[in-house]
C-alpha cells in the first residue's frame, strides 16, 4: 500500500515504527486544513504559520503516544488549537499598539486603526483571563465557528460540557467586554475574531 493510499492511523503507526516519509505524507494531507484552523484562531498569518509549525513539531514528537481513541484529524486539531492558545498567551506578555502609517495628503482611514487594535488586544486579554477549560471551547465555537459536536470531539469532552463551559465563559466575557459593545456595534467590524453577533451572544442577547 502506498503512503497516499494509507489511512491516517496507518501513517501514524508507520511513523512511530520509523518510516521516514509517513509523517511528511500526513502533514501534506492535512496542512491546508490545519492552516485554516490556525489562521481563524490567531487572525495573523505570521503567528498562524509559527503556531502551525510548533503544532506539527509537537505532533511529530507525540505520534508514538497516539491512541486510536479518536480520529487523527481530531488529534491534530487539538494540538493546533493548543499551539494557537499558547501563542495568544505569549503575545499578551508583549502587547503593542502600532501607530497609523498614514502621512500628509493620504486619505483618512474609515476607521481608527489604533482604536481597533486596542479593542483587539482587550478581547485577546479577556480570552486569556478565562480558565483554559472555558477558553478552548470559546475559541473553537465562537471564534472558529465549529459546532458543539465538533468541539466536543476535538477536546475529548461531552457536548453538554462544551455548552456549559461556553456559557460560563461567555458570562465572564460579557462582564469584561460589555463596555466595548457600542464601539464594536458602531464600527460593525470584527475585533480579532469576535464579531457583533458573537459579542451579543456573549452578552446573553
Amino acid at each position: 500500500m502506498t503512503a497516499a493510499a494509507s489511512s491516517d492511523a496507518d501513517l501514524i503507526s508507520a511513523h512511530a515504527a520509523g518510516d521516514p516519509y509517513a509523517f511528511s505524507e500526513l502533514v501534506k494531507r492535512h496542512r491546508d486544513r490545519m492552516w485554516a484552523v490556525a489562521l481563524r484562531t490567531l487572525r495573523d498569518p505570521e503567528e498562524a504559520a509559527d503556531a502551525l509549525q510548533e503544532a506539527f513539531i509537537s505532533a511529530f514528537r507525540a505520534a508514538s503516544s497516539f491512541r486510536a481513541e479518536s480520529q487523527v484529524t481530531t488529534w491534530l486539531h487539538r494540538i493546533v488549537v493548543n499551539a494557537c492558545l499558547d501563542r495568544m498567551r505569549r503575545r499578551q506578555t508583549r502587547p503593542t499598539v502600532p501607530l497609523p502609517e498614514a502621512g500628509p495628503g493620504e486619505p483618512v482611514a474609515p476607521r481608527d486603526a489604533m482604536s481597533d487594535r486596542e479593542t483587539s488586544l482587550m478581547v485577546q486579554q479577556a480570552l486569556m483571563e478565562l480558565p483554559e477549560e472555558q477558553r478552548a471551547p470559546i475559541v473553537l465555537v465562537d471564534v472558529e465557528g465549529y459546532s458543539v459536536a465538533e468541539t466536543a470531539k476535538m477536546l475529548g469532552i461531552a457536548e453538554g460540557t462544551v455548552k456549559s463551559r461556553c456559557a460560563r465563559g461567555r458570562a465572564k466575557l460579557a462582564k469584561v467586554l460589555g463596555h466595548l459593545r457600542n464601539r464594536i456595534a458602531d464600527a460593525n467590524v470584527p475585533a480579532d475574531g469576535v464579531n457583533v453577533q458573537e459579542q451579543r451572544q456573549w452578552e446573553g442577547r
Side-chain angles (χ1 to χ4, degrees):
M1 181 182 293
T2 64
S6 300
S7 69
D8 290 344
D10 289 338
L11 290 173
I12 286 287
S13 297
H15 167 67
D19 187 326
Y21 305 107
F23 195 79
S24 295
E25 175 63 27
L26 194 70
V27 170
K28 186 192 306 181
R29 187 176 294 181
H30 297 293
R31 180 176 49 217
D32 290 347
R33 185 175 181 184
M34 296 302 112
W35 163 251
V37 170
L39 189 58
R40 281 200 302 269
T41 304
L42 293 170
R43 304 284 175 172
D44 182 316
E46 291 186 7
E47 289 282 330
D50 288 342
L52 189 61
Q53 182 178 10
E54 291 170 1
F56 278 131
I57 290 173
S58 296
F60 182 91
R61 293 172 176 169
S64 60
S65 62
F66 173 75
R67 299 291 179 266
E69 298 172 354
S70 62
Q71 294 183 354
V72 172
T73 52
T74 300
W75 176 71
L76 286 174
H77 268 88
R78 190 179 309 162
I79 292 175
V80 171
V81 169
N82 285 336
C84 290
L85 291 173
D86 285 343
R87 290 202 73 81
M88 290 171 69
R89 188 181 301 112
R90 276 177 271 168
R91 188 164 60 186
Q92 282 306 302
T93 66
R94 47 180 175 80
T96 58
V97 179
L99 294 174
E101 298 179 357
E106 297 182 9
V108 178
R111 291 182 282 109
D112 187 332
M114 184 177 294
S115 177
D116 288 347
R117 181 59 177 165
E118 289 173 347
T119 299
S120 170
L121 290 171
M122 289 178 190
V123 172
Q124 291 176 26
Q125 183 175 2
L127 283 170
M128 290 303 99
E129 290 175 357
L130 290 178
E132 186 149 349
E133 66 173 16
Q134 295 172 10
R135 182 168 63 248
I138 285 285
V139 169
L140 288 170
V141 175
D142 290 336
V143 178
E144 294 189 23
Y146 286 102
S147 68
V148 169
E150 290 171 328
T151 299
K153 288 181 180 179
M154 277 185 260
L155 298 178
I157 57 179
E159 292 183 24
T161 304
V162 172
K163 292 178 181 178
S164 63
R165 290 180 180 178
C166 281
R168 290 197 297 270
R170 288 168 187 154
K172 292 177 182 178
L173 288 170
K175 293 180 181 178
V176 176
L177 300 175
H179 66 287
L180 298 179
R181 180 186 59 192
N182 292 336
R183 183 189 300 183
I184 296 175
D186 291 343
N188 196 28
V189 295
D192 200 55
V194 180
N195 58 34
V196 176
Q197 182 178 0
E198 290 160 2
Q199 179 72 13
R200 290 173 177 168
Q201 189 176 29
W202 284 348
E203 292 170 358
R205 288 192 166 193

